[in-house]
Amino acid sequence: MAQKPLRLLACGDVEGKFDVLFNRVRVIQKKSGNFDLLLCVGNFFGSTPDAEWEKYKTGIKKAPIQTYVLGANNQETVKYFQDADGCELAENITYLGRKGIFTGSSGLQIVYLSGTESLNEPVPGYSFSPKDVSSLRTMLCSTSQFKGVDILLTSPWPKYVGNFGNSSGEVDTKKCGSALVSSLATDLKPRYHFAALEKTYYERLPYRNHIVLQENAQHATRFIALANVGNPEKKKYLYAFSIVPMKLMETAELVKQPPDVTENPYRKSGKEASMGKQISAPEEESACQFFFDLNEKQGRKRSSTGRDNKSSPHPKQPRKPPQPPGPCWFCLASPEVEKHLVVNIGTHCYLALAKGGLSDDHVLILPIGHYQSVVELSTEVVEEVEKYKVTLRRFFKSRGKRCVLFERNYKSHHLQLQVIPVPLSCCTTDDIKDAFVTQAEQQQIELLEIPEHSDIKQIAQPGAAYFYVELDTGEKLFHRIKKNFPLQFGREVLASEAILNIPDKSDWRQCQLSKEEEEMLARRFRKDFEPFDFTLDD
């Protein structure tokens, strides 16, 4: 039986506005049901008079949910936190302590670090030192079985958290934040990391905790910074999410990568990364490297619309599809599109028969908006691409065929995901895989198998040239294009004697049909595909 997720709330700087916070929590719970815990980061107490707090402290008022808070971030509020090891401040309100690990009865593991960074001795009562961070690391990471923690709570942001990610707004993450917290997050690999103090809301794209093709896949981390309670700009200060403790999850489920996952922000890119350098915290430096050289142009930043296992009172509006800088043969709104080849249209993608296809049912999955490659797709487009893949596999399986997909992001301006059906009687999936590997070796093309639970977005940065092929089993082979690459490589392999045995069709220009013939094939495909068409369910 699947473990029921815990429902948690996280909150930014309360700054003494206890009534505002707890009234808001009551409204949320009345509307959405009860939550299990409220976790508060940043300044719990403020410079306001204590009259409001006294009502909670004396029991006149009571928090509507079990609430855990971090300690002081300034000298003014140290007086509220007398016990460094944590204590109950009021009914349902508990101070976690200066640093440590809280493990709930469910097995949920929360690591907390109170205060702000200090490199001076003696360390003030509202700060943490490199020694504090080191002791937390030793407590947790000393065993070979350590995989990470569920939640990390800190008040300061981690320095450099914006690297490789979506914009952090007015906060410059290269200057703001704590390098010690960055180092701690790198080692503890939290699934969620909450912080505050900057009076703004920032949900970073999730980032991976492993080096692709060098380490086994690990879970991703989501960093969320929350604003101050009751701020006049109405920036988000409460964050609702659901989580199953990692100890209770199957590994395969735990390490699934979100479609918008990015590189780890605490590792340097380009030459420095390939030399094994990592962004270092004071008094320490850890070695790690990327498998791929990421010093090419980054291109567009990925969309930040991806969401996973959480609720938000202010969902983002979907973005309009990006537009091409000039005429494009594949943007659906473009007059250049040969619309008679279009056989199915979804919300974000469409299907079209391939011009000069290898077979009568060779199709393309194309985004409606102007995206150059799979790597650049926004979350909602990726989801629909995956829907089309699953549906086409079912469709071709019903016709005694398996399908092979490939993309060449090289000398192309609009993503074309080629889908070629191969009769089951022709060959096995292993035969197809061997044919690609063999021909790649003959042409001195390094074709690498991508590890299970990984995808192209984990390997290639936007703007990077690559070729990849996906088999009906989900196995993927990848080549990073550095110089030249044969434009017809994918077609040549599939047209070879080892697979379809139609070598004369390896060049699409030799396979073109008249418009009347193309229209006839398109009508036939639409009719055959209709029983499988998921767009009719919307």
Side-chain angles (χ1 to χ4, degrees):
M1 184 176 175
Q3 174 70 25
K4 185 179 178 182
L6 296 167
R7 303 178 73 230
L8 309 184
L9 290 169
C11 177
D13 304 274
V14 181
E15 296 182 333
K17 296 180 180 177
F18 309 112
D19 287 346
V20 175
L21 169 62
F22 293 131
N23 287 340
R24 178 65 183 146
V25 170
R26 288 186 184 94
V27 169
I28 291 172
Q29 294 202 125
K30 186 175 181 180
K31 182 178 179 181
S32 305
N34 288 337
F35 284 76
D36 297 290
L37 295 176
L38 169 62
L39 307 172
C40 296
V41 294
N43 294 312
F44 188 68
F45 294 97
S47 55
T48 54
D50 286 346
E52 193 171 314
W53 172 242
E54 281 298 317
K55 292 180 181 178
Y56 288 91
K57 188 176 178 182
T58 57
I60 296 173
K61 290 186 176 181
K62 176 183 172 182
I65 184 173
Q66 185 61 54
T67 304
Y68 292 93
V69 309
L70 294 182
N73 298 293
N74 52 60
Q75 186 60 51
E76 187 181 0
T77 56
V78 169
K79 62 184 180 182
Y80 296 104
F81 305 100
Q82 298 298 318
D83 190 341
D85 295 325
C87 59
E88 186 177 83
L89 300 177
E91 187 175 357
N92 270 2
I93 303 176
T94 301
Y95 164 46
L96 285 165
R98 287 194 63 180
K99 67 178 187 297
I101 307 155
F102 171 86
T103 304
S105 58
S106 63
L108 186 76
Q109 196 168 51
I110 302 172
V111 174
Y112 54 90
L113 180 64
S114 292
T116 56
E117 178 180 307
S118 175
L119 303 180
N120 300 320
E121 293 287 349
V123 178
Y126 54 86
S127 295
F128 57 84
S129 67
K131 290 181 181 177
D132 291 320
V133 171
S134 180
S135 68
L136 268 178
R137 184 184 294 111
T138 302
M139 255 189 279
L140 285 154
C141 305
S142 54
T143 65
S144 58
Q145 290 79 29
F146 178 75
K147 294 180 179 178
V149 299
D150 291 303
I151 298 171
L152 173 62
L153 304 178
T154 64
S155 287
W157 290 29
K159 202 170 185 178
Y160 312 113
V161 71
N163 287 357
F164 310 122
N166 47 312
S167 170
S168 53
E170 296 178 0
V171 179
D172 185 350
T173 59
K174 289 181 172 62
K175 297 177 181 178
C176 161
S178 163
L180 285 175
V181 171
S182 303
S183 171
L184 186 64
T186 302
D187 291 330
L188 296 192
K189 304 172 186 176
R191 294 164 66 199
Y192 284 86
H193 179 183
F194 294 97
L197 297 184
E198 299 301 328
K199 300 189 183 300
T200 192
Y201 169 68
Y202 172 51
E203 182 173 1
R204 190 202 184 280
L205 291 173
Y207 64 84
R208 68 178 70 90
N209 285 296
H210 62 279
I211 304 173
V212 176
L213 298 180
Q214 284 197 3
E215 298 174 330
N216 291 332
Q218 298 177 39
H219 59 272
T221 293
R222 298 175 183 276
F223 171 76
I224 298 104
L226 294 161
N228 47 312
V229 169
N231 64 86
E233 298 86 3
K234 299 190 182 301
K235 294 177 181 177
K236 188 171 179 177
Y237 64 82
L238 262 182
Y239 184 94
F241 66 110
S242 300
I243 187 170
V244 173
M246 64 191 304
K247 290 182 178 180
L248 303 179
M249 294 181 69
E250 296 290 337
T251 301
E253 184 66 25
L254 177 65
V255 303
K256 279 184 179 176
Q257 301 295 300
D260 51 356
V261 71
T262 77
E263 189 49 73
N264 191 307
Y266 312 124
R267 297 190 186 121
K268 291 185 179 180
S269 63
K271 293 180 180 179
E272 292 170 304
S274 64
M275 291 167 63
K277 291 185 178 179
Q278 179 172 316
I279 291 170
S280 58
E283 299 183 12
E284 62 186 2
E285 181 171 343
S286 306
C288 82
Q289 66 178 41
F290 296 141
F291 186 80
F292 290 104
D293 179 9
L294 302 178
N295 59 3
E296 297 190 14
K297 292 180 181 177
Q298 296 296 302
R300 274 196 303 275
K301 293 295 181 186
R302 299 175 194 166
S303 164
S304 60
T305 56
R307 297 289 183 266
D308 180 29
N309 218 17
K310 62 185 183 299
S311 55
S312 168
H314 305 293
K316 287 190 176 182
Q317 295 300 314
R319 295 179 180 177
K320 291 182 180 179
Q323 300 301 309
C328 176
W329 288 97
F330 299 102
C331 286
L332 192 56
S334 170
E336 282 79 13
V337 170
E338 296 193 51
K339 291 186 169 59
H340 67 281
L341 293 172
V342 176
V343 292
N344 190 265
I345 302 176
T347 306
H348 307 286
C349 305
Y350 71 99
L351 284 185
L353 284 184
K355 189 85 172 172
L358 279 170
S359 62
D360 291 347
D361 44 7
H362 174 176
V363 294
L364 309 176
I365 303 174
L366 303 115
I368 291 172
H370 189 75
Y371 295 91
Q372 184 173 330
S373 68
V374 164
V375 173
E376 297 187 6
L377 296 180
S378 60
T379 305
E380 62 270 18
V381 183
V382 169
E383 288 173 354
E384 193 161 276
V385 166
E386 292 302 318
K387 263 189 176 182
Y388 270 119
K389 285 183 184 179
V390 171
T391 304
L392 286 168
R393 286 192 183 106
R394 285 177 49 234
F395 170 65
F396 286 124
K397 185 177 180 180
S398 74
R399 305 175 76 82
K401 300 176 183 181
R402 58 170 56 89
C403 60
V404 181
L405 298 89
F406 70 82
E407 179 198 1
R408 185 198 76 236
N409 184 31
Y410 173 70
K411 293 190 176 181
S412 60
H413 302 289
H414 190 114
L415 166 62
Q416 304 161 53
L417 192 56
Q418 309 271 346
V419 185
I420 298 93
V422 177
L424 296 174
S425 57
C426 277
C427 53
T428 66
T429 300
D430 285 340
D431 292 333
I432 297 171
K433 183 178 178 180
D434 290 344
F436 271 99
V437 171
T438 300
Q439 290 209 34
E441 288 176 350
Q442 290 173 357
Q443 299 188 46
Q444 296 183 318
I445 294 170
E446 186 180 23
L447 206 54
L448 303 171
E449 187 165 353
I450 299 176
E452 192 177 0
H453 309 303
S454 300
D455 61 28
I456 304 305
K457 282 195 173 193
Q458 295 174 257
I459 299 173
Q461 292 288 306
Y466 63 83
F467 170 87
Y468 94 95
V469 59
E470 183 174 339
L471 307 175
D472 61 319
T473 56
E475 295 173 273
K476 301 183 186 78
L477 303 172
F478 176 89
H479 171 65
R480 176 73 175 271
I481 300 173
K482 296 176 181 177
K483 290 184 179 179
N484 298 319
F485 183 78
L487 298 182
Q488 305 296 337
F489 177 72
R491 284 183 66 109
E492 288 171 358
V493 175
L494 291 168
S496 67
E497 293 180 3
I499 303 179
L500 291 172
N501 194 21
I502 46 173
D504 55 318
K505 288 192 174 185
S506 59
D507 188 337
W508 70 273
R509 288 165 294 194
Q510 306 301 317
C511 307
Q512 292 190 73
L513 304 173
S514 68
K515 185 175 180 180
E516 290 74 18
E517 290 173 311
E518 290 174 340
E519 288 174 338
M520 182 193 69
L521 292 178
R523 283 195 300 270
R524 184 193 302 166
F525 188 94
R526 292 187 198 103
K527 181 181 178 182
D528 293 342
F529 186 69
E530 188 175 355
F532 299 83
D533 185 0
F534 66 85
T535 66
L536 299 177
D537 301 329
D538 296 340

